[in-house]
Amino acid sequence: MIREVLRMERVTYKEQGQICLDNFNITVQRGEIFGLVPVNYYGIDALFKLLVHNLPLHYGYVYYQERLVNQWQHPRESSNRISIIQNKSSLANDLRVTDNVFVLRKGFQKRILFSSMLRKQLQPFLDEIGINIPADRYVSELSAFEKFVVELLKAIVAGNHLIVLEDIGSFISESELERLHGIIRYYAEKGFSFLYIVPHFEEANQLCDRMALMVNGKIIKCFRTGDTIPVTFPVRSVEDYDNWVRTQLTLRQKEREMQAVLTMEGVCYDKLRGFNLRIAPGECVVLQDLDNAIVSDFIDLFQGEKPERGTFILDGGKQLRKRNRDLAVIQELPTETMIYEGMSYFDNLCMNMDHRVNGVWYQKGIRKSIKHEYKDLLGEDVFDSNVKYLSAKQKYDLVYTRIYLQQPKVVLCIQPFKNAEVSLRSHIWELLERFLSRKIAVIIMAVNLADSLALADRLIRIKHGSVQEVYDKEDFLKLPIHTPWLHLYQERYAMKKEISKKEYPYQQKHQRKRFLF
């Protein structure tokens, strides 16, 4: 017998007169993994609020565990036992694993705590999913993967029948993601239900039983496991994004300069072991960290730390031994980590270019010239704006233009597409393409591939601090089937192969090598 855990029926929800969810319909069954693919993240926060807290509706009905918990005519001030796990951990870092799982849950009433008893209670949960996490370890000492497991166990122990997972693939490695999928399937078989929110159909399709496409707070299409993922999604905004990927794939087909602007040979530093890399001006290389362990090592090296062994050479010169502004780093979530609210917009913009323009801080003529030159790109009004109130797009423009004005030779970008909705991803592409067109090399550090491949000339997969695999652009179609936008690489390969048959019939008949791209 099919039992519903969640049903949202014709739900319309407003905040400050603005519609956040529009005629929203969704049903999640007991033991089901339901994928939700939002084209943009409009309405996602409102959905989370409604799931946990039964806020007043403009119209519609919400059922949880086959019981009406919220309706537009008679709203109820109550909460639902639903867990939401996002890429930012909600655990208490200064407490132990057992305290987070058992003590910090609703309904826990014991006044005297026995650590040994809590450890014994936790161990069976860890054993059944094959995970070894010391129960007495502080959460601050855990990896991102271990924190996710603890949050999941906290929800399971609390008996929450619906667990919402938001974009978990953006903060754990590919191998860890496979392990998590196994854990999620295990608990789904035991009757727990999951709402799996992810920005790509490819990732949702490898785990979920059913999937829904969400646009501007509305469900517009549903898919089942085994359905063919559409080459062009049935909505204008996604179609534009799909076309953008195709355009970028074409633009990136160009000759690479052979002279290396950065050379790393046999570099050992912390978790990096004998790492080698040569990158040319205007080349884009994606480094996929399969263990989610070496991002901080690359940041340290780019900020002037000396390797333990090996050579780290810029532009054929001497070994780098101190911070050099020919190297730049764009941090993960740069709109949160690289904008300084205590500084003006202009000071935020120009803080990395004083090594090139001495009078940038005190000569009004130089400041006026910079504003005039970049007003069309950034907007004329932003220079007088408080950076705190900029839009997400304006903040990305500010950070990336700051690095552009620095004029580095190599830019290291840490997961540039993390948490960005579709329209922002295509804009970030444009900002990265601006570096490449200026012959600035770009290194993208990624935990999962997400949207990086459309810009990439090479993909290097790193495991245990060493190079595991190297893919040139023509080899991208060999990547795992769930890789985002893989159908575009396969499509281009099929087109190229068909052209080869027509232009080189003799070679095609007797060929010994394949024609790729």
Side-chain angles (χ1 to χ4, degrees):
M1 180 179 176
I2 296 176
R3 295 185 58 187
E4 292 179 352
V5 170
L6 173 71
R7 175 153 56 100
M8 300 180 71
E9 187 176 295
R10 295 173 290 169
V11 169
T12 298
Y13 173 71
K14 292 184 177 182
E15 287 184 351
Q16 299 179 348
Q18 186 83 19
I19 295 178
C20 299
L21 295 178
D22 182 14
N23 196 28
F24 191 88
N25 294 277
I26 192 173
T27 302
V28 181
Q29 299 168 0
R30 184 177 184 273
E32 181 180 31
I33 306 171
F34 189 95
L36 184 63
V37 183
V39 171
N40 52 37
Y41 274 73
Y42 186 88
I44 290 294
D45 288 339
L47 175 62
F48 290 164
K49 292 176 186 177
L50 282 182
L51 288 175
V52 178
H53 308 290
N54 294 313
L55 302 177
L57 303 175
H58 180 72
Y59 188 77
Y61 306 87
V62 178
Y63 298 84
Y64 183 57
Q65 291 188 267
E66 301 183 333
R67 184 172 63 90
L68 181 63
V69 295
N70 198 3
Q71 59 175 309
W72 68 285
Q73 291 173 312
H74 306 289
R76 302 177 182 179
E77 295 294 332
S78 61
S79 299
N80 303 316
R81 294 179 62 181
I82 295 175
S83 293
I84 296 177
I85 302 177
Q86 300 171 281
N87 54 30
K88 185 176 182 180
S89 175
S90 62
L91 300 174
N93 282 328
D94 295 331
L95 294 180
R96 294 181 174 87
V97 170
T98 50
D99 297 332
N100 274 274
V101 173
F102 294 106
V103 180
L104 298 183
R105 65 181 174 90
K106 193 173 181 179
F108 189 85
Q109 297 178 345
K110 292 187 178 181
R111 297 178 181 272
I112 301 176
L113 303 180
F114 297 96
S115 298
S116 59
M117 183 186 69
L118 294 179
R119 285 196 299 270
K120 288 180 181 179
Q121 289 180 342
L122 179 63
Q123 197 58 46
F125 289 95
L126 294 171
D127 291 341
E128 67 181 358
I129 58 176
I131 298 294
N132 183 24
I133 300 176
D136 288 333
R137 182 179 292 176
Y138 286 95
V139 166
S140 58
E141 302 171 353
L142 301 179
S143 66
F145 169 73
E146 290 171 331
K147 287 180 180 179
F148 179 88
V149 172
V150 172
E151 286 203 73
L152 184 57
L153 289 179
K154 182 179 178 180
I156 297 298
V157 169
N160 294 349
H161 296 275
L162 178 64
I163 302 172
V164 182
L165 312 173
E166 185 196 12
D167 198 13
I168 60 173
S170 66
F171 64 98
I172 59 175
S173 68
E174 190 174 278
S175 58
E176 290 171 340
L177 186 61
E178 291 180 4
R179 292 179 70 188
L180 281 177
H181 284 180
I183 296 172
I184 291 168
R185 290 190 186 98
Y186 172 79
Y187 282 119
E189 291 174 0
K190 295 189 71 172
F192 290 91
S193 302
F194 295 87
L195 182 59
Y196 191 79
I197 300 174
V198 63
H200 291 291
F201 269 102
E202 290 87 351
E203 184 178 337
N205 198 40
Q206 63 176 322
L207 175 67
C208 301
D209 305 303
R210 290 185 298 137
M211 298 164 286
L213 182 65
M214 178 178 172
V215 180
N216 295 328
K218 188 173 184 177
I219 300 295
I220 67 165
K221 192 171 180 64
C222 291
F223 300 87
R224 290 187 176 276
T225 301
D227 288 352
T228 301
I229 297 175
V231 174
T232 301
F233 301 129
V235 58
R236 178 65 184 170
S237 55
V238 184
E239 182 179 343
D240 290 342
Y241 189 51
D242 198 66
N243 290 336
W244 177 267
V245 178
R246 297 171 191 274
T247 302
Q248 292 301 319
L249 285 173
T250 303
L251 290 175
R252 298 302 303 153
Q253 297 294 317
K254 60 185 181 182
E255 290 293 327
R256 298 200 294 262
E257 298 181 34
M258 298 306 296
Q259 179 64 40
V261 68
L262 175 67
T263 302
M264 299 173 67
E265 291 184 355
V267 170
C268 294
Y269 180 82
D270 198 6
K271 295 182 178 63
L272 277 177
R273 299 290 97 189
F275 184 79
N276 297 304
L277 173 68
R278 290 171 60 87
I279 186 169
E283 184 181 12
C284 180
V285 175
V286 174
L287 305 181
Q288 186 183 14
D289 183 4
L290 298 175
D291 303 309
N292 195 14
I294 60 168
V295 171
S296 60
D297 297 343
F298 270 90
I299 293 175
D300 288 347
L301 289 171
F302 267 66
Q303 292 181 341
E305 293 295 327
K306 181 182 176 182
E308 298 164 7
R309 289 197 302 275
T311 56
F312 191 92
I313 299 173
L314 183 65
D315 203 16
K318 295 182 180 180
Q319 170 102 354
L320 286 173
R321 300 188 184 277
K322 61 181 180 178
R323 193 159 188 164
N324 190 318
R325 284 196 172 172
D326 283 337
L327 299 177
V329 177
I330 299 179
Q331 298 279 359
E332 184 177 303
L333 302 177
T335 58
E336 300 176 14
T337 57
M338 295 184 66
I339 291 180
Y340 306 97
E341 294 183 357
M343 299 171 60
S344 69
Y345 184 96
F346 188 88
D347 290 345
N348 267 282
L349 180 66
C350 298
M351 61 186 299
N352 287 355
M353 64 176 299
D354 52 4
H355 66 295
R356 296 194 302 108
V357 184
N358 293 328
V360 69
W361 302 124
Y362 56 85
Q363 292 189 21
K364 293 183 179 179
I366 293 177
R367 297 166 71 93
K368 185 177 180 180
S369 175
I370 292 173
K371 290 181 180 180
H372 179 74
E373 183 175 353
Y374 286 93
K375 67 179 182 179
D376 292 336
L377 180 66
L378 300 173
E380 197 163 358
D381 299 331
V382 294
F383 290 95
D384 299 319
S385 301
N386 187 325
V387 294
K388 185 188 301 185
Y389 303 112
L390 297 175
S391 67
K393 180 178 179 296
Q394 289 172 329
K395 288 181 178 180
Y396 274 104
D397 284 337
L398 172 56
V399 171
Y400 278 75
T401 304
R402 175 202 302 166
I403 301 301
Y404 185 78
L405 289 174
Q406 181 180 330
Q407 291 189 7
K409 294 180 179 179
V410 185
V411 177
L412 176 68
C413 299
I414 311 300
Q415 298 204 79
F417 303 102
K418 183 176 181 179
N419 284 12
E421 62 180 44
V422 169
S423 59
L424 274 178
R425 286 183 207 143
S426 56
H427 186 63
I428 293 168
W429 258 334
E430 291 176 340
L431 296 172
L432 290 170
E433 184 65 39
R434 187 169 57 167
F435 292 137
L436 298 172
S437 64
R438 189 70 176 266
K439 296 299 181 183
I440 298 172
V442 173
I443 300 174
I444 296 177
M445 291 290 302
V447 174
N448 64 19
L449 295 178
D451 304 272
S452 305
L453 286 185
L455 280 170
D457 296 300
R458 278 184 292 155
L459 166 67
I460 299 176
R461 306 181 84 187
I462 304 169
K463 190 170 185 178
H464 304 314
S466 301
V467 174
Q468 185 82 2
E469 298 167 308
V470 179
Y471 293 86
D472 288 323
K473 184 180 287 290
E474 57 267 23
D475 298 321
F476 287 173
L477 59 91
K478 301 175 184 176
L479 292 168
I481 192 65
H482 56 269
T483 300
W485 311 112
L486 183 67
H487 65 278
L488 298 184
Y489 305 113
Q490 294 171 332
E491 179 182 301
R492 290 181 62 82
Y493 168 66
M495 291 173 59
K496 193 71 174 180
K497 191 172 182 181
E498 187 63 29
I499 292 172
S500 298
K501 285 181 180 179
K502 294 178 181 179
E503 294 183 357
Y504 308 101
Y506 179 81
Q507 272 186 298
Q508 193 67 30
K509 185 177 179 181
H510 302 283
Q511 67 175 350
R512 294 186 178 180
K513 67 175 183 177
R514 296 187 304 172
F515 292 88
L516 304 179
F517 286 80

